Every structure is written in structure tokens, then in C-alpha cells.
Amino acid sequence: MHIEEGVVTGAKLILGYATAATAGLYALRLADQALRAQGGASLAARGALATAATFVFFQVLPTAPVGVSEVHLILGSTLFLILGAAPAAIGLALGLLIQGLFFAPFDLPQYGMNVTTLLVPLFALQAVAGRVIAPGTAYVDLRYGQALALSATYQGGIVAWVAFWAFYGQGAGATAGVLSFGAAYLLVIVVEPLVDLAVLAGAKAARGLRGSGLVTPRLYA
């Protein structure tokens, strides 16, 4: 999902900083809500876990350049279901920043676009979760169809934002690359729910995490 160097250049980069700032403000709102609900220690711990996981997703797991970007297994719905929206947002932003600072400095000018691409679909996922998961249903009890809806929302959002940045930077000439990138992400949309359900099954077996502050309360309640 990285917007590669040269896709968007010059003054057009400013839009990415503006959208990232807007997403950051909403993430701060979520963080404030999480802080009030579970306290600073829990938010910090879950944010650190999400950051470490995001770094692994980008730097350790396999990635493949396809079309206008790269295909990553970004388990955004997994982070959301286990840790909550605010820690997931913190982790996605910080994990991407750490990777850029230490391993891919050429990606830093595109950081605003890339963090927007990660966070806005996460916020959409949160909204969809409120519709497809009945109140009172613990996340450990989700079915494949529900996990698929969350994955499709998140990964579909990533594809939409990558397409937007590509067309914004290159115009209609980006069409072929966008189509191939979107087609490649269909596999991720199918695989991610299986990963979600496997992780949730592990969490269901590890009931000792309930009330620990290391997971979102909705995981078990």
C-alpha cells in the first residue's frame, strides 16, 4: 500500500499532509476515549503492541510490488479486534514511521499519504463493526462472514486510497497499475478473515487476558 517515490510529487504532496493531519486528529479523539475508559497504562501498552505488530507486517512479512504500489498483509482488522481502534491507529502510524525512519527513508515524503491510506479505512472499519456485530457480542465469538466484512472494508479502503493517490499524481496513465494492484489485494481480503478467526480463537483460549488492560474490553465482553 506504500505510495512509491515519484507517484505524487511537488506541491501535490501537501494534500497528503493535510489528510494525515485530519486523520491524526480523529485518532487523538479515539485515544482520549480509550484513555478515559481504560487508563493511560493500558493505552500505552496496547499502542506499543500495535506498533510492534505493524512494524513486523511491513518489514518482516513478505511483500510484493504490484502495479502502482506494494501488496502487504496489513492485519488492520486483527489489530482492531484484539487491541481496539485507538491503539490500532497509534500502532499503524508509529510502525509505519519507524520503518520509514530506519529502513526506508525514501518513503518519508510520502508518509502523509501512506498514513492516511492506513488510518481512514480503519475508521471506516470501526463504523462497519458497529453495524455487522450485534451489541453484546464478544469479538471472540465472531463468524467468518463478519470477519470478512471487516476485512473487505479495511482492505477495500486501502485499495481506494492507493487508487486515489495514483490518479491524483499520474492521471489516467495509472489505470493499468491501479487495476492490477486492486486485483492482487483480493487475495488479502480472503486470507485476512482466516487470520482474524485464528487469532480470535487463540484469544478465546487465553481467557486470562480478560481485564488485563492488554486487549480491548470488547474482545471478551
Side-chain angles (χ1 to χ4, degrees):
M1 48 61 62
H2 283 84
I3 304 302
E4 301 297 335
E5 183 180 12
V7 173
V8 179
T9 58
K12 286 187 174 183
L13 290 169
I14 296 174
L15 179 60
Y17 303 140
T19 56
T22 303
L25 288 174
Y26 188 75
L28 287 176
R29 178 185 175 188
L30 294 178
D32 180 66
Q33 294 172 353
L35 188 65
R36 295 173 185 272
Q38 286 187 275
S42 174
L43 179 61
R46 288 182 289 149
L49 289 172
T51 299
T54 299
F55 178 79
V56 170
F57 298 160
F58 283 123
Q59 195 61 33
V60 178
L61 294 184
T63 181
V66 178
V68 295
S69 187
E70 298 173 343
V71 175
H72 294 273
L73 186 61
I74 310 167
L75 302 175
S77 58
T78 308
L79 295 178
F80 169 80
L81 291 169
I82 300 297
L83 302 172
I90 292 170
L92 289 167
L94 290 183
L96 181 65
L97 181 61
I98 290 171
Q99 188 210 28
L101 287 173
F102 295 101
F103 295 93
F106 47 84
D107 278 335
L108 290 177
Q110 292 80 241
Y111 178 76
M113 293 181 289
N114 290 331
V115 80
T116 300
T117 301
L118 289 176
L119 293 190
V120 176
L122 176 71
F123 305 149
L125 182 157
Q126 182 186 28
V128 169
R131 292 180 175 272
V132 303
I133 304 173
T137 301
Y139 287 161
V140 292
D141 296 324
L142 292 189
R143 302 184 304 275
Y144 177 82
Q146 293 169 312
L148 178 61
L150 299 184
S151 176
T153 299
Y154 188 68
Q155 303 299 342
I158 286 178
V159 172
W161 273 102
V162 168
F164 170 78
W165 295 122
F167 288 129
Y168 174 64
Q170 298 185 336
T175 301
V178 167
L179 290 176
S180 60
F181 174 78
Y185 251 93
L186 291 176
L187 178 61
V188 178
I189 291 173
V190 173
V191 170
E192 187 178 42
L194 299 176
V195 176
D196 288 345
L197 293 177
V199 172
L200 289 173
K204 193 169 187 176
R207 291 283 181 174
L209 289 173
R210 181 195 293 267
S212 67
L214 295 177
V215 296
T216 178
R218 186 67 187 276
L219 184 62
Y220 295 109

